[in-house]
Amino acid sequence: MPFMLAQTLSATLDLIFPPECEICGKIPRSQASKGICEICRLTIHPIPPPYCASCGRTATSGALKCARCFHENFHFDRAYACSFYQGNIKELLHIYKFNGRKNLKYFFIELMSEFCLRNLDI
């Protein structure tokens, strides 16, 4: 199906059957919601810096690793996490992985992009 036709069909279906928030089921006010409403989006909090080089959790100021990872040796250089794996973010990841809601990929891309722009020198 040509791209323009697919885009028009998708927009028409969104008008007839508006996408609902994957968490609360309400219809988001914004078309740019990416599968989650504004209220539920506010419940997802980023992990505060400084970051542990091994797991991405918050580390003590000036420390390279958190207390959990201090005596561990990993086979990678660095890891980051955008948010704690709890609450709505955990539910969204489960919905994405196990319920086939692949449209949530755009939400996760946005979340990771915002994290990278705020915290990484890229």
Side-chain angles (χ1 to χ4, degrees), residues 5-103:
L5 182 59
Q7 205 171 22
T8 304
L9 181 59
S10 177
T12 304
L13 287 173
D14 283 351
L15 285 172
I16 298 168
F17 305 106
E20 297 175 346
C21 174
E22 295 289 348
I23 299 292
C24 68
K26 293 180 182 173
I27 298 173
R29 287 185 229 147
S30 168
Q31 288 295 342
S33 66
K34 296 177 178 51
I36 183 170
C37 73
E38 298 82 6
I39 307 268
C40 291
R41 175 68 172 89
L42 292 174
T43 65
I44 297 171
H45 303 289
I47 297 173
Y51 302 106
C52 171
S54 296
C55 67
R57 292 183 192 99
T58 302
T60 307
S61 184
L64 185 60
K65 294 184 176 186
C66 70
R68 287 184 178 179
C69 298
F70 189 72
H71 295 291
E72 297 288 332
N73 290 317
F74 298 98
H75 298 285
F76 52 87
D77 294 331
R78 231 158 148 78
Y80 292 98
C82 297
S83 177
F84 292 105
Y85 185 64
Q86 62 190 22
N88 283 345
I89 196 75
K90 184 176 181 178
E91 186 174 343
L92 285 170
L93 283 166
H94 281 240
I95 291 168
Y96 175 75
K97 288 172 67 174
F98 304 118
N99 294 359
R101 300 284 171 63
K102 300 302 179 191
N103 64 316

